[in-house]
Amino acid sequence: MFALDVAAHTGPWRSRHPGEKALLSLGLLACAVILPPWPGALLSGLAAAVLLVGPARVSPAVVLRAARVPLLFVATSTVPLVVTVHAPIRLTVNTAGFGTAAHTAGRSVAALTCLLLFSATTPLSEVLPRLQRLGVPAAVTEVAALTYRMLFLLVESVRAVREAQAARLGFRTWRTAYRSLAGQAGAIFVRAFSRARRLEEGLALRGYTGSLAVQVEARRMSPPFLVASGGLLVLIVAVTAAVVVGPQW
């Protein structure tokens, strides 16, 4: 399993209702997106980070591992805001873009932290069935569930093929490495296609009629948690309004 999935299934918030965590995480995400970067997005990101490593007990190493690729994307996306390309080939630094780049990067990192708060505390197996109860078409939730399941099979296939190639000295030189990568792609495609066909045949033999019956464990909303979440969101909005609107008065 992925590190985030392990954290979601083993963390102390595992027994909480997904609606509670959605209210908190998506509420913080809304504050990070709607409110000004300073101090709204900063407060939202800090609150999500503190909740992640504090009450949710998610390891900082797991958070950094899950966030490293999105953070790299954020870093590369801010480069065009501070660098200008002139004809024919000349690069100049746009000092006026540093503020925009900082605001964009800060808001993006805050939003990413809020999303990690939800994904690291809520298993997907508990979210999809409840989405169907909220009116999301069954076809959408089932395709998402099957895709999620196939990801683990794909990662397992990649690991098995790579270990087999490494045992045969498939990565000894650059030439053999390129050849092994090409063979790896072909083998993984064949395995994935075969697994998908077997999955389809298995569903058909079990009388699949267009919807999968999934038993969901009943969970109750916690009023103290909801009140605390709402209070935190109101506090962030109030502090942001005081900082932004206060000096104007």
Side-chain angles (χ1 to χ4, degrees), residues 7 11-13 15 41 71-72 87 114 119-120 124-125 182 202 228 246:
W13 283 12
S15 58
L71 289 178
L72 179 62
C114 298
S119 59
L124 188 63
S125 58

Side-chain angles (χ1 to χ4, degrees), residues 80-227:
L81 298 176
V82 297
V83 176
T84 305
V85 180
H86 300 277
I89 300 178
R90 185 168 60 90
L91 300 179
T92 58
V93 177
N94 182 16
T95 57
F98 280 104
T100 304
H103 289 171
T104 303
R107 193 186 295 275
S108 301
V109 173
L112 172 63
T113 309
C114 298
L115 289 176
L116 288 177
L117 176 62
F118 183 75
S119 59
T121 56
T122 311
L124 188 63
S125 58
E126 292 193 358
V127 176
L128 294 178
R130 289 181 170 86
L131 289 178
Q132 188 172 346
R133 295 179 181 179
L134 294 177
V136 178
V140 176
T141 59
E142 289 173 9
V143 169
L146 293 176
T147 304
Y148 178 69
R149 171 59 180 162
M150 290 299 294
L151 284 176
F152 293 98
L153 298 177
L154 181 62
V155 172
E156 180 184 353
S157 299
V158 172
R159 184 180 295 112
V161 173
R162 186 173 183 84
E163 289 178 354
Q165 290 177 334
R168 293 174 175 84
L169 302 179
F171 299 95
R172 185 169 54 89
T173 62
W174 284 105
R175 184 175 181 179
T176 57
Y178 284 127
R179 185 182 305 168
S180 297
L181 289 176
Q184 184 181 111
I188 292 170
F189 174 79
V190 173
R191 284 195 175 196
F193 192 81
S194 176
R195 291 285 183 91
R197 177 175 294 177
R198 289 162 55 189
L199 180 61
E200 181 183 5
E201 293 175 353
L203 290 174
L205 292 175
R206 289 170 174 80
Y208 178 71
T209 58
S211 63
L212 295 173
V214 180
Q215 184 178 3
V216 182
E217 184 178 355
R219 302 188 186 277
R220 293 184 177 181
M221 294 278 195
S222 173
F225 189 91
L226 295 176
V227 172

